């Protein structure tokens, strides 16, 4: 199956491990780019970019331009896939956190009639109903349930 | 222009008012399919999450709204203050903005989204660069 992983760069190490496991299971997997260009066009790692973005001011144009590009690129990957896997690890003291960007990707996947897998349980967030509304399949950490 | 009006159903009555105004301005405006029900029935509320979820699932509301985003030229999100948050955008609104961006539709917000400090998702909205109307529907073009 063609699978696009969605989630936060904060969990890149975990996601890379998930990608490897999925590939061993015979799936074709895409995720966000591991490198991006900084304001001078120099390639930096996604993790480095994430660190910069976390403290970036609203007017640091190149930072937000990269993010806008990444949003659209990832939407295209959602469209390419048969299914998305939301890598929802614990974040900000919330179990199975899902952020705004990932929520948009889940919405797009639902519109495009893709399967939506959640790696972990549905988070207790004010928008839990909307997450449930796009009919995700909860894996409980078990990738072999993807079919 | 064909415009899909979206936002929290808490503002169903306002949605119908804005629809009328847009039509008077020469636009073709659509509201979510359950707007009239919410406007007419004071017992229907977005505050009861469980009931609201059941209503959305039973009536396939999320998909119907997404299809409306796809069928129109633009979306207009009525982000009136809610829950003490100025420019409130709910999860459905956020998903509709993302879908409209993917489908290359025009995106109008009636008011600026909440400050990033209050709502982290505002970054996602701002990088999409919607047109902020500051309450003025005449700015729609």
């Amino acid at each position: 199956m063609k699978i696009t992983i969605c989630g936060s760069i904060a969990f890149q190490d975990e996601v890379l491990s998930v990608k490897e496991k999925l590939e061993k299971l015979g799936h074709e997997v895409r995720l966000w780019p591991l490198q991006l260009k900084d304001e001078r066009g120099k390639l930096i790692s996604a993790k480095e970019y994430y660190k910069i973005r976390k403290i970036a001011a609203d007017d640091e144009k190149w930072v937000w331009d990269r993010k806008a590009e990444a949003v659209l690129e990832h939407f295209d990957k959602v469209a390419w896939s048969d299914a998305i896997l939301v890598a929802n690890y614990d974040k900000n003291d919330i179990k199975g956190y899902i952020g705004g960007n990932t929520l948009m990707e889940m919405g797009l996947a639902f519109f495009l009639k893709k399967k939506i897998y959640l790696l972990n349980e549905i988070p207790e967030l004010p928008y839990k109903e909307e997450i449930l509304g796009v009919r995700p399949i909860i894996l409980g950490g078990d990738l072999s349930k993807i079919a | 222009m064909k415009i899909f009006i979206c936002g929290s159903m808490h503002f169903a009555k306002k949605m119908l008012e804005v629809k009328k105004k847009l039509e008077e301005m020469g636009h073709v405006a659509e509201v979510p399919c359950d707007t009239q029900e919410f406007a007419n029935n004071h017992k229907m509320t977005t505050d009861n999450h469980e009931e609201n979820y059941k209503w959305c699932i039973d009536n396939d509301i999320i998909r119907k709204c997404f299809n409306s985003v796809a069928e129109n030229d633009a979306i207009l999100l009525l982000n009136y203050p809610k829950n003490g948050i100025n420019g409130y955008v709910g999860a459905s609104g956020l998903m509709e903005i993302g879908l409209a961006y993917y489908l290359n539709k025009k995106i109008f917000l009636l008011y600026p989204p909440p400050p990033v400090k209050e709502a982290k998702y505002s970054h996602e909205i701002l990088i999409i660069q919607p047109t902020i109307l500051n309450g003025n529907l005449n700015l729609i073009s």
Side-chain angles (χ1 to χ4, degrees):
Chain A
M1 190 187 288
K2 293 192 286 188
I3 301 171
T4 291
I5 300 178
C6 302
S8 168
I9 301 175
F11 301 110
Q12 185 162 297
D13 293 342
E14 293 88 337
V15 164
L16 284 173
S17 161
V18 166
K19 179 177 185 278
E20 205 184 316
K21 284 177 193 162
L22 288 172
E23 285 169 345
K24 278 184 186 160
L25 288 163
H27 300 294
E28 196 181 339
V29 184
R30 289 191 183 172
L31 69 157
W32 52 83
L34 300 180
Q35 287 187 313
L36 296 103
K37 283 182 181 169
D38 71 6
E39 61 185 324
R40 291 176 188 165
K42 186 186 148 207
L43 281 174
I44 56 169
S45 72
K47 277 171 132 180
E48 201 177 330
Y49 166 75
Y50 181 70
K51 272 187 206 163
I52 295 167
R53 198 180 78 199
K54 270 186 94 171
I55 52 165
D58 290 351
D59 60 355
E60 271 196 78
K61 194 177 175 299
W62 77 269
V63 174
W64 303 111
D65 283 352
R66 291 299 169 279
K67 169 102 180 175
E69 288 158 17
V71 169
L72 265 189
E73 278 174 27
H74 214 74
F75 279 174
D76 286 336
K77 288 175 189 170
V78 171
W80 161 86
S81 69
D82 302 312
I84 64 164
L85 169 60
V86 177
N88 61 325
Y89 296 99
D90 302 352
K91 192 181 175 189
N92 304 335
D93 292 327
I94 296 163
K95 274 197 167 305
Y97 181 82
I98 293 173
N101 198 35
T102 301
L103 190 66
M104 290 198 293
E105 288 158 359
M106 291 174 75
L108 177 61
F110 183 71
F111 173 73
L112 296 173
K113 298 185 175 159
K114 311 291 181 182
K115 285 187 175 179
I116 301 171
Y117 294 103
L118 284 195
L119 186 60
N120 296 305
E121 62 194 90
I122 294 178
E124 289 299 330
L125 287 165
Y127 44 92
K128 186 178 178 180
E129 282 72 26
E130 282 84 355
I131 295 171
L132 283 165
V134 297
R135 321 283 179 93
I137 300 158
I138 318 291
L139 299 178
D142 183 357
L143 296 177
S144 68
K145 284 184 185 169
I146 294 178
Chain B
M1 193 186 296
K2 284 167 64 183
I3 303 168
F4 178 56
I5 299 167
C6 47
S8 168
M9 295 317 290
H10 185 73
F11 303 114
K13 282 184 183 166
K14 287 199 172 181
M15 281 179 173
L16 294 170
E17 285 168 24
V18 170
K19 179 179 188 286
K20 200 175 161 211
K21 276 185 199 165
L22 289 175
E23 285 168 347
E24 283 166 3
M25 292 165 73
H27 300 293
V28 176
E30 185 185 346
V31 289
C33 60
D34 53 349
T35 307
Q36 202 69 57
E37 276 100 328
F38 271 92
N40 290 348
N41 186 351
H42 70 278
K43 285 183 184 166
M44 283 182 77
T45 166
T46 54
D47 297 332
N48 187 330
H49 294 304
E50 214 163 290
E51 262 182 31
N52 202 34
Y53 169 68
K54 191 176 180 311
W55 171 261
C56 286
I57 293 295
D58 290 351
N59 296 283
D60 205 10
I61 300 294
I62 295 179
R63 189 172 299 284
K64 283 178 184 166
C65 283
F66 283 179
N67 288 339
S68 295
V69 172
E71 286 159 10
N72 283 274
D73 304 316
I75 64 166
L76 166 60
L77 191 85
L78 301 187
N79 58 331
Y80 298 105
K82 192 186 169 197
N83 303 337
I85 300 169
N86 282 330
Y88 173 86
V89 177
S92 294
L94 187 60
M95 290 195 286
E96 284 155 0
I97 289 172
L99 179 60
Y101 184 54
Y102 174 74
L103 296 173
N104 217 9
K105 308 289 180 181
K106 287 190 175 182
I107 302 168
F108 299 103
L109 258 66
L110 192 60
Y111 296 106
V116 175
K117 276 181 189 171
E118 285 176 32
K120 273 183 129 186
Y121 61 75
S122 281
H123 258 314
E124 267 76 23
I125 296 173
L126 290 169
I127 60 166
I128 281 172
Q129 297 184 310
T131 303
I132 313 284
L133 301 177
N134 291 311
N136 184 359
L137 296 176
N138 291 314
L139 295 177
I140 292 177
S141 63

